[in-house]
Coordinates of all heavy atoms in Angstrom, one line a residue:
T77 N 9.2 -7.8 -1.8 CA 8.4 -7.2 -0.8 C 8.6 -7.7 0.5 O 8.8 -8.9 0.7 CB 6.9 -7.1 -1.2 OG1 6.5 -8.6 -1.3 CG2 6.6 -6.4 -2.6
Q78 N 8.5 -6.8 1.6 CA 8.7 -7.4 3.0 C 7.9 -6.5 4.0 O 7.8 -5.4 3.8 CB 10.1 -7.3 3.2 CG 10.5 -7.7 4.7 CD 12.0 -7.7 4.9 OE1 12.8 -7.4 4.0 NE2 12.4 -7.8 6.2
A79 N 7.4 -7.2 5.0 CA 6.7 -6.4 6.1 C 7.1 -7.3 7.4 O 7.1 -8.5 7.4 CB 5.2 -6.5 5.9
D80 N 7.5 -6.5 8.4 CA 7.8 -7.3 9.7 C 6.6 -7.9 10.4 O 6.7 -8.7 11.4 CB 8.6 -6.2 10.6 CG 9.9 -5.8 10.0 OD1 10.6 -6.7 9.2 OD2 10.5 -4.7 10.3
D81 N 5.4 -7.3 10.1 CA 4.2 -7.7 10.8 C 3.6 -8.9 10.0 O 3.3 -8.6 8.9 CB 3.2 -6.4 10.9 CG 2.0 -6.8 11.6 OD1 1.6 -8.0 11.8 OD2 1.4 -5.9 12.1
P82 N 3.4 -10.0 10.6 CA 2.8 -11.1 9.8 C 1.4 -10.9 9.3 O 0.9 -11.5 8.5 CB 2.9 -12.3 10.7 CG 3.0 -11.8 12.1 CD 3.7 -10.4 12.0
R83 N 0.7 -9.9 9.9 CA -0.7 -9.5 9.4 C -0.6 -8.4 8.3 O -1.7 -8.1 7.9 CB -1.5 -9.1 10.6 CG -1.8 -10.2 11.6 CD -2.7 -9.7 12.6 NE -3.3 -10.9 13.3 CZ -4.2 -10.7 14.3 NH1 -4.8 -9.5 14.5 NH2 -4.5 -11.8 15.0
L84 N 0.6 -8.0 7.9 CA 0.6 -7.1 6.8 C 1.2 -8.0 5.7 O 2.2 -8.5 5.7 CB 1.6 -6.0 7.1 CG 1.1 -4.8 7.9 CD1 2.2 -3.8 8.2 CD2 -0.1 -4.1 7.4
R85 N 0.5 -7.9 4.5 CA 1.0 -8.8 3.3 C 1.2 -7.7 2.2 O 0.4 -6.8 2.0 CB -0.1 -9.8 3.0 CG -0.5 -10.8 4.0 CD 0.6 -11.6 4.3 NE 0.2 -12.6 5.3 CZ 0.7 -13.7 5.6 NH1 1.8 -14.0 4.9 NH2 0.3 -14.5 6.6
T86 N 2.3 -8.0 1.5 CA 2.7 -7.0 0.4 C 2.9 -8.0 -0.9 O 3.5 -9.0 -0.8 CB 3.9 -6.2 0.7 OG1 5.0 -7.0 1.1 CG2 3.5 -5.3 1.9
L87 N 2.5 -7.3 -2.0 CA 2.8 -8.0 -3.2 C 3.2 -6.9 -4.2 O 2.3 -6.0 -4.4 CB 1.6 -8.8 -3.7 CG 1.8 -9.6 -5.1 CD1 2.8 -10.7 -5.0 CD2 0.3 -10.2 -5.3
A88 N 4.2 -7.0 -5.0 CA 4.7 -6.0 -6.0 C 4.9 -6.5 -7.3 O 5.4 -7.7 -7.5 CB 5.8 -5.2 -5.4
F89 N 4.6 -5.9 -8.3 CA 4.8 -6.2 -9.7 C 5.4 -5.1 -10.5 O 5.0 -3.9 -10.3 CB 3.4 -6.5 -10.6 CG 2.5 -7.5 -9.8 CD1 1.5 -7.2 -8.9 CD2 2.8 -8.9 -10.2 CE1 0.8 -8.2 -8.4 CE2 2.0 -9.8 -9.6 CZ 1.0 -9.5 -8.7
A90 N 6.5 -5.5 -11.1 CA 7.3 -4.5 -11.9 C 6.5 -4.5 -13.3 O 6.1 -5.3 -13.9 CB 8.7 -5.0 -12.2
L91 N 6.3 -3.1 -13.6 CA 5.6 -2.9 -14.9 C 6.5 -2.5 -16.1 O 7.6 -2.1 -15.7 CB 4.7 -1.6 -14.7 CG 3.6 -1.7 -13.7 CD1 3.0 -0.3 -13.4 CD2 2.6 -2.8 -13.9
P92 N 6.2 -2.8 -17.3 CA 7.0 -2.6 -18.5 C 7.4 -1.2 -18.5 O 8.6 -0.8 -19.1 CB 6.1 -3.0 -19.6 CG 5.3 -3.9 -19.1 CD 4.9 -3.6 -17.8
S93 N 6.7 -0.2 -18.0 CA 6.9 1.2 -18.1 C 8.0 1.7 -17.2 O 8.5 2.8 -17.2 CB 5.7 2.0 -17.8 OG 5.3 1.7 -16.4
G94 N 8.4 0.8 -16.2 CA 9.4 1.1 -15.2 C 8.8 1.5 -13.9 O 9.5 1.6 -12.9
G95 N 7.5 1.4 -13.9 CA 6.8 1.6 -12.5 C 6.5 0.4 -11.8 O 7.1 -0.7 -12.2
Y96 N 5.6 0.5 -10.8 CA 5.2 -0.7 -10.0 C 3.8 -0.7 -9.7 O 3.1 0.4 -9.6 CB 6.0 -0.8 -8.7 CG 7.5 -1.0 -8.8 CD1 8.4 0.0 -8.9 CD2 8.0 -2.3 -8.8 CE1 9.8 -0.3 -9.1 CE2 9.4 -2.6 -8.9 CZ 10.1 -1.6 -9.0 OH 11.5 -1.8 -9.2
S97 N 3.2 -1.8 -9.6 CA 1.8 -1.9 -9.1 C 2.0 -2.8 -7.8 O 2.6 -3.8 -7.8 CB 1.0 -2.7 -10.1 OG -0.3 -3.0 -9.6
L98 N 1.4 -2.3 -6.7 CA 1.5 -3.0 -5.4 C 0.1 -3.3 -4.9 O -0.8 -2.4 -5.0 CB 2.2 -2.0 -4.3 CG 3.7 -1.8 -4.7 CD1 3.9 -0.7 -5.6 CD2 4.4 -1.5 -3.3
I99 N 0.0 -4.4 -4.1 CA -1.3 -4.7 -3.3 C -0.8 -4.9 -2.0 O 0.3 -5.6 -1.6 CB -1.8 -6.0 -3.8 CG1 -2.2 -6.1 -5.4 CG2 -3.0 -6.4 -3.1 CD1 -3.2 -5.0 -5.7
L100 N -1.4 -4.1 -1.0 CA -1.0 -4.2 0.4 C -2.4 -4.6 1.2 O -3.4 -4.0 1.1 CB -0.6 -2.8 0.8 CG 0.4 -2.0 0.1 CD1 0.6 -0.7 0.5 CD2 1.7 -2.8 0.1
L101 N -2.1 -5.7 2.1 CA -3.2 -6.1 2.8 C -2.9 -5.9 4.4 O -1.8 -6.2 4.8 CB -3.4 -7.6 2.7 CG -3.7 -8.0 1.2 CD1 -3.6 -9.5 1.1 CD2 -5.0 -7.5 0.7
N102 N -3.9 -5.3 5.1 CA -3.7 -5.1 6.6 C -4.8 -6.0 7.2 O -5.9 -5.6 7.3 CB -3.9 -3.7 6.9 CG -3.7 -3.6 8.5 OD1 -3.2 -4.5 9.1 ND2 -4.1 -2.4 9.0
A103 N -4.5 -7.2 7.8 CA -5.3 -8.0 8.4 C -5.4 -7.7 10.0 O -6.1 -8.5 10.8 CB -4.9 -9.5 8.3
N104 N -4.8 -6.7 10.5 CA -4.8 -6.3 11.8 C -6.2 -5.6 12.2 O -6.8 -5.0 11.3 CB -3.6 -5.3 12.1 CG -2.3 -5.8 12.1 OD1 -2.0 -6.7 13.0 ND2 -1.5 -5.6 11.2
P105 N -6.6 -5.8 13.3 CA -7.8 -5.1 13.9 C -7.6 -3.6 14.2 O -8.5 -2.8 14.5 CB -8.1 -5.8 15.2 CG -6.8 -6.4 15.7 CD -6.0 -6.7 14.5
E106 N -6.3 -3.2 13.9 CA -5.9 -1.8 14.1 C -5.3 -1.2 12.9 O -4.7 -2.0 12.1 CB -5.0 -1.6 15.2 CG -5.5 -2.1 16.7 CD -6.6 -1.3 17.1 OE1 -6.8 0.0 16.9 OE2 -7.5 -1.8 17.9
P107 N -5.3 0.1 12.5 CA -4.5 0.7 11.4 C -3.1 0.4 11.6 O -2.5 0.3 12.8 CB -4.9 2.2 11.5 CG -6.1 2.3 12.4 CD -6.0 1.1 13.4
R108 N -2.4 0.4 10.5 CA -1.0 0.2 10.5 C -0.4 1.2 9.4 O -0.9 1.3 8.3 CB -0.6 -1.2 10.1 CG -0.9 -2.2 11.1 CD 0.0 -2.1 12.4 NE -0.1 -3.1 13.3 CZ -0.9 -3.1 14.3 NH1 -1.6 -2.0 14.7 NH2 -1.0 -4.1 15.2
A109 N 0.8 1.8 9.7 CA 1.5 2.6 8.8 C 2.5 1.6 8.1 O 3.2 0.9 8.7 CB 2.2 3.7 9.5
L110 N 2.7 1.8 6.8 CA 3.6 1.0 6.0 C 4.5 2.0 5.2 O 3.9 2.9 4.5 CB 2.9 0.1 5.1 CG 3.6 -0.8 4.3 CD1 4.3 -1.9 5.2 CD2 2.7 -1.5 3.4
A111 N 5.7 2.0 5.4 CA 6.7 2.7 4.5 C 7.2 2.0 3.4 O 7.6 0.8 3.4 CB 7.9 3.1 5.5
L112 N 7.0 2.6 2.2 CA 7.5 2.1 1.0 C 8.9 2.5 0.7 O 9.1 3.7 0.6 CB 6.4 2.6 -0.2 CG 5.0 2.2 0.0 CD1 4.3 2.7 -1.2 CD2 4.8 0.6 0.1
T113 N 9.8 1.5 0.6 CA 11.2 1.8 0.1 C 11.7 0.8 -0.9 O 10.9 0.0 -1.2 CB 12.0 1.5 1.5 OG1 11.9 0.2 1.9 CG2 11.6 2.4 2.6
G114 N 12.9 1.2 -1.5 CA 13.5 0.4 -2.4 C 12.9 0.5 -3.8 O 13.0 -0.3 -4.6
L115 N 12.3 1.7 -4.1 CA 11.7 1.9 -5.3 C 12.5 2.8 -6.3 O 12.1 3.4 -7.3 CB 10.3 2.6 -5.2 CG 9.3 1.5 -4.5 CD1 8.0 2.3 -4.2 CD2 9.0 0.3 -5.4
G116 N 13.8 2.9 -5.9 CA 14.8 3.7 -6.7 C 14.4 5.3 -6.7 O 14.1 5.7 -5.7
T117 N 14.4 5.8 -7.9 CA 14.1 7.2 -8.1 C 12.6 7.5 -8.3 O 12.3 8.7 -8.5 CB 14.9 7.8 -9.3 OG1 14.5 7.0 -10.5 CG2 16.4 7.5 -9.1
L118 N 11.8 6.4 -8.2 CA 10.4 6.8 -8.4 C 9.7 7.7 -7.3 O 10.1 7.5 -6.1 CB 9.6 5.6 -8.4 CG 9.9 4.6 -9.6 CD1 9.1 3.3 -9.5 CD2 9.5 5.2 -11.0
D119 N 8.9 8.6 -7.7 CA 8.3 9.6 -6.7 C 7.1 8.9 -6.1 O 6.1 9.0 -6.6 CB 7.9 10.8 -7.3 CG 7.4 11.9 -6.5 OD1 7.4 11.6 -5.3 OD2 7.2 13.0 -6.9
V120 N 7.3 8.4 -5.0 CA 6.2 7.5 -4.1 C 5.1 8.5 -3.9 O 3.8 8.1 -3.8 CB 6.7 6.9 -2.9 CG1 5.7 6.2 -2.2 CG2 7.7 5.9 -3.3
S121 N 5.4 9.9 -3.6 CA 4.3 10.8 -3.2 C 3.2 11.0 -4.3 O 2.1 11.4 -4.0 CB 4.9 12.2 -2.8 OG 5.5 12.8 -4.0
Q122 N 3.7 10.7 -5.6 CA 2.7 10.8 -6.6 C 1.9 9.6 -6.9 O 1.2 9.4 -8.0 CB 3.4 11.3 -7.9 CG 4.2 12.7 -7.7 CD 3.1 13.7 -7.4 OE1 2.1 13.8 -8.1 NE2 3.4 14.5 -6.4
A123 N 2.1 8.5 -6.0 CA 1.3 7.2 -6.3 C -0.2 7.3 -6.3 O -0.8 8.2 -5.7 CB 1.7 6.2 -5.2
S124 N -0.8 6.6 -7.2 CA -2.2 6.5 -7.3 C -2.6 5.4 -6.3 O -2.2 4.3 -6.3 CB -2.7 6.1 -8.6 OG -4.1 5.7 -8.7
V125 N -3.5 5.7 -5.3 CA -3.8 4.9 -4.2 C -5.2 4.7 -4.1 O -6.0 5.7 -4.0 CB -3.2 5.4 -2.8 CG1 -3.4 4.5 -1.6 CG2 -1.7 5.7 -2.9
T126 N -5.7 3.4 -3.9 CA -7.2 3.1 -3.8 C -7.2 2.2 -2.5 O -6.5 1.1 -2.5 CB -7.8 2.5 -4.9 OG1 -7.7 3.3 -6.0 CG2 -9.3 2.3 -4.8
I127 N -8.0 2.5 -1.6 CA -8.2 1.7 -0.3 C -9.6 1.3 -0.1 O -10.5 2.0 -0.2 CB -7.6 2.5 0.9 CG1 -6.2 2.9 0.7 CG2 -7.8 1.6 2.1 CD1 -5.6 3.8 1.8
S128 N -9.7 0.0 0.3 CA -11.0 -0.6 0.7 C -10.9 -1.2 2.0 O -9.9 -1.8 2.3 CB -11.6 -1.6 -0.3 OG -11.9 -0.9 -1.6
S129 N -11.8 -1.0 3.0 CA -11.8 -1.6 4.2 C -13.2 -1.9 4.7 O -14.2 -1.8 3.9 CB -11.2 -0.6 5.2 OG -12.0 0.5 5.4
E130 N -13.4 -2.4 6.0 CA -14.8 -2.7 6.4 C -15.6 -1.4 6.5 O -16.8 -1.5 6.3 CB -14.6 -3.3 7.8 CG -14.1 -4.7 7.9 CD -14.0 -5.2 9.3 OE1 -13.7 -4.3 10.3 OE2 -14.0 -6.4 9.4
A131 N -14.9 -0.2 6.6 CA -15.7 1.0 6.8 C -16.0 1.8 5.4 O -16.9 2.5 5.3 CB -14.9 1.9 7.7
A132 N -15.2 1.4 4.4 CA -15.3 2.1 3.2 C -14.8 1.4 2.0 O -13.9 0.5 2.2 CB -14.6 3.5 3.2
Y133 N -15.3 1.6 0.9 CA -15.0 0.8 -0.4 C -14.4 1.8 -1.5 O -15.1 2.9 -1.7 CB -16.2 0.1 -1.0 CG -16.1 -0.6 -2.3 CD1 -15.3 -1.7 -2.3 CD2 -16.5 0.0 -3.5 CE1 -15.1 -2.4 -3.5 CE2 -16.2 -0.6 -4.7 CZ -15.5 -1.8 -4.6 OH -15.3 -2.5 -5.8
A134 N -13.3 1.4 -2.0 CA -12.6 2.1 -3.0 C -12.5 3.6 -2.9 O -12.9 4.5 -3.6 CB -13.4 1.9 -4.5
V135 N -11.8 3.9 -1.7 CA -11.6 5.2 -1.3 C -10.2 5.7 -1.9 O -9.2 5.0 -1.7 CB -11.7 5.5 0.2 CG1 -11.2 6.8 0.6 CG2 -13.0 5.1 0.6
E136 N -10.2 7.0 -2.6 CA -8.8 7.4 -3.0 C -7.9 7.7 -1.8 O -8.3 8.4 -0.8 CB -9.0 8.6 -3.9 CG -7.7 9.1 -4.4 CD -7.8 10.2 -5.4 OE1 -8.9 10.3 -6.0 OE2 -6.9 11.0 -5.6
G137 N -6.7 7.2 -1.7 CA -5.9 7.4 -0.6 C -4.8 8.4 -0.9 O -4.5 8.7 -2.2
K138 N -3.9 8.8 0.0 CA -2.8 9.7 -0.2 C -1.6 9.1 0.6 O -1.7 8.6 1.6 CB -3.1 11.1 0.3 CG -4.2 11.8 -0.4 CD -3.7 12.5 -1.6 CE -4.8 13.3 -2.2 NZ -4.5 13.7 -3.6
M139 N -0.5 9.2 -0.1 CA 0.8 9.0 0.6 C 1.2 10.2 1.5 O 1.0 11.3 1.2 CB 2.0 8.7 -0.4 CG 1.7 7.6 -1.4 SD 1.6 6.0 -0.7 CE 3.2 5.8 0.0
A140 N 1.8 9.8 2.7 CA 2.2 10.7 3.7 C 3.8 11.0 3.3 O 4.3 10.4 2.5 CB 2.1 10.2 5.0
A141 N 4.2 12.0 3.9 CA 5.7 12.4 3.7 C 6.6 11.1 4.0 O 6.3 10.3 4.9 CB 6.0 13.4 4.7
G142 N 7.6 11.1 3.1 CA 8.5 9.9 3.4 C 8.0 8.6 2.8 O 8.7 7.5 3.1
G143 N 7.0 8.6 2.0 CA 6.5 7.4 1.5 C 5.8 6.4 2.3 O 5.8 5.2 2.2
T144 N 5.0 7.0 3.4 CA 4.4 6.2 4.3 C 2.9 6.1 4.0 O 2.4 7.2 3.6 CB 4.6 6.7 5.8 OG1 5.9 6.6 6.1 CG2 3.8 5.9 6.7
L145 N 2.2 5.1 4.1 CA 0.8 5.0 3.9 C 0.1 4.3 5.2 O 0.6 3.3 5.7 CB 0.6 4.0 2.6 CG -1.0 3.8 2.3 CD1 -1.5 5.1 1.8 CD2 -1.0 2.7 1.2
L146 N -0.9 5.0 5.5 CA -1.6 4.5 6.7 C -2.8 3.6 6.2 O -3.7 4.0 5.5 CB -2.3 5.6 7.6 CG -3.0 5.2 8.8 CD1 -2.2 4.4 9.7 CD2 -3.7 6.4 9.5
L147 N -2.7 2.3 6.5 CA -3.7 1.4 6.1 C -4.7 1.2 7.3 O -4.3 0.9 8.3 CB -3.0 0.0 5.9 CG -2.0 -0.1 4.7 CD1 -1.3 -1.4 4.6 CD2 -2.7 0.2 3.4
P148 N -6.0 1.4 6.9 CA -7.0 1.2 7.9 C -7.0 -0.3 8.4 O -6.5 -1.2 7.8 CB -8.3 1.4 7.3 CG -7.9 2.3 6.1 CD -6.5 1.9 5.7
A149 N -7.7 -0.5 9.5 CA -7.9 -1.9 10.0 C -8.5 -2.7 9.0 O -9.4 -2.3 8.2 CB -8.6 -1.9 11.3
R150 N -8.1 -3.9 8.9 CA -8.7 -4.9 7.9 C -9.0 -4.3 6.6 O -10.1 -4.3 6.1 CB -9.9 -5.5 8.5 CG -9.6 -6.4 9.7 CD -10.8 -7.0 10.4 NE -10.6 -7.7 11.6 CZ -10.8 -7.2 12.8 NH1 -11.1 -6.0 13.0 NH2 -10.4 -8.0 13.8
S151 N -8.0 -4.0 5.9 CA -8.0 -3.2 4.6 C -7.1 -3.8 3.5 O -6.3 -4.6 3.8 CB -7.7 -1.8 4.8 OG -6.4 -1.6 5.2
V152 N -7.4 -3.4 2.2 CA -6.7 -3.7 1.1 C -6.4 -2.4 0.4 O -7.3 -1.6 0.3 CB -7.2 -4.8 0.3 CG1 -8.5 -4.4 -0.3 CG2 -6.3 -5.2 -0.9
A153 N -5.2 -2.2 0.0 CA -4.8 -1.1 -0.8 C -4.1 -1.5 -2.1 O -3.3 -2.4 -2.1 CB -3.9 -0.1 0.0
S154 N -4.5 -0.7 -3.2 CA -3.7 -1.0 -4.5 C -3.0 0.3 -4.8 O -3.6 1.4 -4.7 CB -4.7 -1.5 -5.6 OG -5.6 -0.5 -5.9
L155 N -1.8 0.2 -5.3 CA -1.1 1.4 -5.7 C -0.4 1.3 -7.1 O -0.1 0.2 -7.4 CB 0.2 1.6 -4.6 CG -0.2 2.0 -3.3 CD1 -0.6 0.9 -2.4 CD2 1.0 2.8 -2.6
R156 N -0.4 2.4 -7.7 CA 0.3 2.5 -9.0 C 1.4 3.5 -8.8 O 1.0 4.7 -8.6 CB -0.7 2.7 -10.2 CG 0.1 3.1 -11.5 CD 0.1 1.9 -12.3 NE 0.5 2.1 -13.8 CZ 1.5 2.6 -14.2 NH1 2.2 3.4 -13.4 NH2 1.7 2.7 -15.5
I157 N 2.7 3.1 -9.0 CA 3.7 4.2 -8.8 C 4.6 4.2 -10.1 O 4.9 3.1 -10.6 CB 4.7 3.7 -7.6 CG1 3.9 3.6 -6.4 CG2 5.8 4.7 -7.4 CD1 4.6 2.9 -5.1
G158 N 4.8 5.4 -10.5 CA 5.8 5.5 -11.6 C 5.1 5.8 -12.9 O 3.9 6.0 -13.0
P159 N 6.0 5.7 -14.0 CA 5.5 6.1 -15.3 C 4.5 5.0 -15.9 O 4.3 4.0 -15.4 CB 6.7 6.1 -16.1 CG 7.7 5.3 -15.4 CD 7.4 5.4 -13.9

């Protein structure tokens, strides 16, 4: 996992099923868009996304076109991608 912004932290786990579980942290005081790449043939648009921030807890999120996720300011997101 990699992010160019030191306030964006990413952690990924490969699942036995061939999918991935990801944790994304945004410590920025502003929202940040994060593009998910390098997941092979997995359909990122079908990811299960849950986001918590200062403003909301455990909100279901959606991936944008191209595998981009908008992370609210000071938030954490968990994603489950694939089978």
Side-chain angles (χ1 to χ4, degrees):
T77 59
Q78 177 181 351
D80 294 333
D81 184 336
R83 290 185 169 186
L84 283 176
R85 305 286 179 166
T86 60
L87 182 61
F89 300 94
L91 301 172
S93 65
Y96 291 91
S97 180
L98 291 85
I99 304 296
L100 311 171
L101 303 171
N102 179 17
N104 287 290
E106 301 293 329
R108 291 290 187 261
L110 184 69
L112 301 179
T113 60
L115 297 171
T117 60
L118 295 175
D119 186 359
V120 177
S121 68
Q122 298 300 313
S124 169
V125 180
T126 303
I127 301 172
S128 293
S129 67
E130 292 178 325
Y133 175 75
V135 174
E136 185 175 335
K138 296 273 185 195
M139 298 297 297
T144 301
L145 180 65
L146 181 62
L147 297 173
R150 296 182 181 96
S151 64
V152 60
S154 65
L155 289 79
R156 169 101 170 45
I157 302 169

